[in-house]
Amino acid sequence: MKIETRKMRMKRHIRLMPILIMLSYVLFFSLLIVFDRSSNEKLTIETVNRYDDTLIINGTPYEKYPEKIESKLPIEIDLDMTTFKDEDFLLLRTSLQDLFVYIDGVLVYSKSFNNENHPYASLWHVIEISEGETLTLVVYSPYESMNGLINDIHYGTLSEIYAYIFQSHGLQFLMGILLNIIGLFIIVISFMYYKNERSNYVYFGITLLLISYWIVSESRLLQFIIGSPDVLGSLSYITLGIISIPMLYFFKLSSLKKYDLVLNVMISVSLFVTVMMLVLQFSGLAGYFESVIFAHITMILEFIVVVGLLLYEWLKKQSNEAKKSVRVLGVFLIFVLAEFIYFLIGRFNYTSWFVIVGFLFVSVFMLYDYLKYINVYTKKVYEASALEKLAYTDYLTGANNRLSFEKRLEENLQSIEKNLYLFYFDLDHLKEINDTYGHNVGDEAIIQAYGVITQVFQKNNCFRIGGDEFSCVLMNLDEASLNDKIVSLKEGVTELNLKSHYQIDVSIGYAMTTNEMKSQALMKLADDQMYENKRNKRR
């Protein structure tokens, strides 16, 4: 018992060794990055300047950026142009706002969604600065909570501006791309290899795709990929409307199969809310920003219901799968509530990060669960494949056995295009070889005879159906090819006898059909002809 315990411990330590090495590697370089303050070889990137001079907003000077200006009218912001250099560009981000830029009263740049009849989007604006004394920004939003919002104003060269944007928001963008790749991986793997097993993971992959689209749209870098105002102004809101649908399908096919009706109702509600948001936007009754609160409320209520059902399954039905899901969704629900609260109080700079972190938590957990499932499923498939191979393979010759032969014959009889030929072979003089040289040599003779047959009729068409009996099934064979194969077989046997200290011969019989003939009848015809060939040799 002690020896077995030591072996088990040793195996466990060996399995843990790669993990310990990787953790040590990550820990070492993490500590090095944190505590090594040497900057001799570190590359530095010049960044933009934040405009920190006095802001004149609606005629009132401000020494620092106000959180918000309470006004229902357009906001005018005057900047002193002596701050800027000749090569500088202005960088400004508007939050669902129209923007007009004037230099000494002359309009030099404008972006108005109201005139273009597009959904309002939050955009970056890179504006070339020409000569002048006063630069005036006029911003306006039809949404009261956004109208007085003034984001930081930056300036610098184009390279500095782009470096700043990517440094500030690149991580969130990369997180979205990573989730997109993971989602596509899960969908492709599920469709290619696990069509009939746990198809709910396809919906998990779709959920990850939607999450990735939402994260990318919230990363403030989508504008560098897509220039369509409709996409920029719609993607985030529409994704929020439908993002729970594939997740609900996921639960329908896994831990909440009994609650099909309830989940279908929630899916229908999500679709209705999304369609309603589209109708309100394009009818001009309400923009996405105003109607997205219905998507937030719907998503929160759906997750409360799902968590409630999972709790019931866990506590009343003792479902381990439900227990696992409750813990994950319980944590996610905290992030969703935080997102909703920050949205209501107008702290728009932080809202998306709560849901992003929540989604990442769920995604990492579900990916881990999926990888565990793939590992278990792959082992099952491998074991089943090994057992199937044993069931259909002859242990002596490595040929397909009688069970495989009968299965192939039935399949081919149902898909005849021109004709089907069934060949039967019987090894002559095997008893004499066994009696004279022993059964080991007899086994060798069987293997050699099978080798000659497969050289002529191809290995995948040939089967060992008895002790010294073989069969081959060929489709669409013409008479000339038939005669050539019989001649080639006889020549192969003759060549084998010249090399061996024992002599063998092969009796052959065959039958042909052009329709769905019964397999037993076809086998009897081939078998009868084979024995007729054997009797003729003895005369």
Side-chain angles (χ1 to χ4, degrees):
M1 186 68 183
K2 289 183 178 179
I3 295 175
E4 291 180 357
T5 303
R6 288 174 183 172
K7 286 183 178 179
M8 290 173 63
R9 288 176 180 172
M10 186 176 294
K11 287 181 179 179
R12 186 167 65 251
H13 291 158
I14 291 172
R15 287 198 302 268
L16 289 174
M17 189 61 67
I19 299 174
L20 292 174
I21 292 173
M22 289 302 299
L23 287 175
S24 301
Y25 172 85
V26 172
L27 180 62
F28 172 75
F29 280 102
S30 297
L31 292 173
L32 197 63
I33 291 169
V34 172
F35 293 106
D36 184 7
R37 298 300 180 183
S38 174
S39 59
N40 294 335
E41 306 299 331
K42 184 178 178 181
L43 295 176
T44 58
I45 301 174
E46 295 295 330
T47 187
V48 294
N49 302 293
R50 183 173 179 265
Y51 186 88
D52 287 325
D53 290 348
T54 302
L55 298 170
I56 308 297
I57 303 176
N58 289 345
T60 303
Y62 288 84
E63 296 299 325
K64 61 180 182 179
Y65 288 87
E67 286 192 8
K68 189 182 178 189
I69 301 295
E70 297 297 334
S71 175
K72 295 182 179 180
L73 299 175
I75 307 297
E76 290 190 11
I77 308 168
D78 293 327
L79 308 179
D80 183 3
M81 292 192 65
T82 58
T83 306
F84 309 129
K85 300 177 183 178
D86 292 340
E87 68 274 13
D88 282 343
F89 286 76
L90 193 70
L91 174 65
L92 180 67
R93 183 167 181 84
T94 52
S95 301
L96 307 180
Q97 297 163 322
D98 296 324
L99 173 65
F100 302 90
V101 180
Y102 299 87
I103 294 180
D104 294 338
V106 178
L107 181 67
V108 295
Y109 179 89
S110 67
K111 179 62 182 178
S112 175
F113 292 95
N114 190 38
N115 295 335
E116 297 176 2
N117 198 28
H118 291 300
Y120 271 80
S122 297
L123 298 178
W124 291 109
H125 304 273
V126 179
I127 305 159
E128 186 175 3
I129 302 174
S130 57
E131 293 183 358
E133 295 183 1
T134 303
L135 189 148
T136 303
L137 308 175
V138 179
V139 291
Y140 172 74
S141 174
Y143 310 118
E144 186 176 344
S145 57
M146 289 295 188
N147 186 47
L149 190 65
I150 300 174
N151 295 316
D152 289 356
I153 301 167
H154 295 87
Y155 61 93
T157 63
L158 282 177
S159 60
E160 291 171 347
I161 285 173
Y162 293 142
Y164 164 75
I165 294 174
F166 279 96
Q167 282 181 331
S168 302
H169 308 286
L171 178 61
Q172 189 175 346
F173 180 81
L174 291 175
M175 286 162 55
I177 297 298
L178 177 62
L179 283 181
N180 189 275
I181 293 171
I182 294 172
L184 287 173
F185 167 78
I186 291 174
I187 292 171
V188 171
I189 294 298
S190 298
F191 271 121
M192 288 179 63
Y193 300 106
Y194 310 109
K195 294 178 182 178
N196 301 320
E197 293 280 341
R198 300 293 294 271
S199 60
N200 55 319
Y201 276 103
V202 173
Y203 292 104
F204 170 57
I206 295 172
T207 303
L208 284 187
L209 285 184
L210 292 177
I211 292 171
S212 72
Y213 295 150
W214 182 77
I215 291 177
V216 167
S217 67
E218 290 292 315
S219 71
R220 302 186 178 185
L221 291 181
L222 185 62
Q223 196 176 342
F224 287 89
I225 302 172
I226 298 172
S228 168
D230 292 320
V231 175
L232 294 170
S234 304
L235 182 60
S236 179
Y237 300 109
I238 299 303
T239 304
L240 275 178
I242 63 173
I243 205 166
S244 62
I245 293 176
M247 204 64 188
L248 292 171
Y249 272 108
F250 175 84
F251 286 114
K252 268 184 64 174
L253 297 173
S254 54
S255 51
L256 295 178
K257 293 179 180 178
K258 302 175 184 177
Y259 305 97
D260 191 72
L261 178 61
V262 176
L263 294 173
N264 281 337
V265 169
M266 290 194 288
I267 290 168
S268 300
V269 170
S270 291
L271 285 172
F272 173 78
V273 168
T274 305
V275 172
M276 181 190 71
M277 289 168 59
L278 287 166
V279 171
L280 290 175
Q281 169 64 45
F282 290 103
S283 66
L285 295 175
Y288 289 128
F289 181 73
E290 296 168 301
S291 60
V292 74
I293 189 170
F294 296 109
H296 281 127
I297 293 172
T298 301
M299 187 165 62
I300 291 173
L301 292 176
E302 285 172 347
F303 275 91
I304 290 174
V305 172
V306 168
V307 170
L309 294 175
L310 290 170
L311 277 171
Y312 177 79
E313 286 293 308
W314 170 25
L315 299 176
K316 295 291 184 180
K317 306 293 184 179
Q318 301 298 311
S319 170
N320 289 327
E321 193 169 5
K323 177 182 177 180
K324 181 173 59 177
S325 299
V326 165
R327 290 176 175 175
V328 177
L329 288 182
V331 175
F332 177 70
L333 194 58
I334 294 173
F335 289 103
V336 174
L337 289 172
E339 164 88 5
F340 184 63
I341 292 169
Y342 267 67
F343 183 85
L344 288 179
I345 64 177
R347 301 294 295 275
F348 304 116
N349 291 333
Y350 302 98
T351 51
S352 61
W353 277 103
F354 286 104
V355 174
I356 288 173
V357 174
F359 277 140
L360 283 175
F361 174 81
V362 174
S363 301
V364 169
F365 178 84
M366 294 301 295
L367 179 61
Y368 172 74
D369 187 63
Y370 182 68
L371 292 176
K372 281 204 313 183
Y373 162 69
I374 287 179
N375 184 45
V376 173
Y377 183 82
T378 303
K379 287 181 179 178
K380 285 170 58 180
V381 170
Y382 177 79
E383 290 171 359
S385 177
L387 290 173
E388 183 179 10
K389 187 175 181 180
L390 287 173
Y392 287 103
T393 304
D394 173 58
Y395 73 95
L396 177 63
T397 61
N400 295 317
N401 62 14
R402 187 177 188 90
L403 184 62
S404 178
F405 160 71
E406 292 176 352
K407 180 182 177 183
R408 172 80 68 83
L409 183 60
E410 290 292 343
E411 290 174 351
N412 287 0
L413 282 172
Q414 295 174 13
S415 58
I416 295 176
E417 295 178 3
K418 183 179 177 183
N419 59 45
L420 181 147
Y421 273 87
L422 174 63
F423 294 84
Y424 264 29
F425 308 96
D426 186 85
L427 182 58
D428 300 330
H429 313 308
L430 181 62
K431 186 177 184 305
E432 290 86 342
I433 294 172
N434 285 331
D435 293 342
T436 305
Y437 301 102
H439 284 83
N440 288 338
V441 177
D443 289 345
E444 180 186 325
I446 291 172
I447 295 171
Q448 295 287 350
Y450 173 69
V452 172
I453 293 170
T454 56
Q455 285 179 1
V456 178
F457 293 89
Q458 304 302 320
K459 184 175 181 179
N460 62 318
N461 297 322
C462 300
F463 308 83
R464 185 187 180 196
I465 58 175
D468 58 355
E469 292 184 351
F470 301 91
S471 178
C472 293
V473 181
L474 274 72
M475 302 280 283
N476 306 322
L477 190 67
D478 56 48
E479 190 171 347
S481 298
L482 169 66
N483 294 328
D484 288 343
K485 288 185 180 297
I486 293 174
V487 171
S488 297
L489 179 65
K490 292 179 179 179
E491 291 175 350
V493 171
T494 301
E495 185 178 346
L496 177 63
N497 287 332
L498 292 174
K499 299 177 182 178
S500 304
H501 56 280
Y502 52 80
Q503 299 295 299
I504 65 170
D505 198 2
V506 176
S507 296
I508 181 172
Y510 59 87
M512 186 270 287
T513 182
T514 57
N515 52 42
E516 292 188 21
M517 187 177 184
K518 294 291 185 182
S519 59
Q520 293 297 325
L522 189 65
M523 286 190 286
K524 187 176 186 309
L525 287 174
D527 194 48
D528 289 346
Q529 192 183 91
M530 181 192 71
Y531 278 106
E532 179 65 24
N533 180 245
K534 187 182 285 287
R535 283 192 294 270
N536 290 336
K537 291 179 182 179
R538 293 173 181 171
R539 291 173 183 171

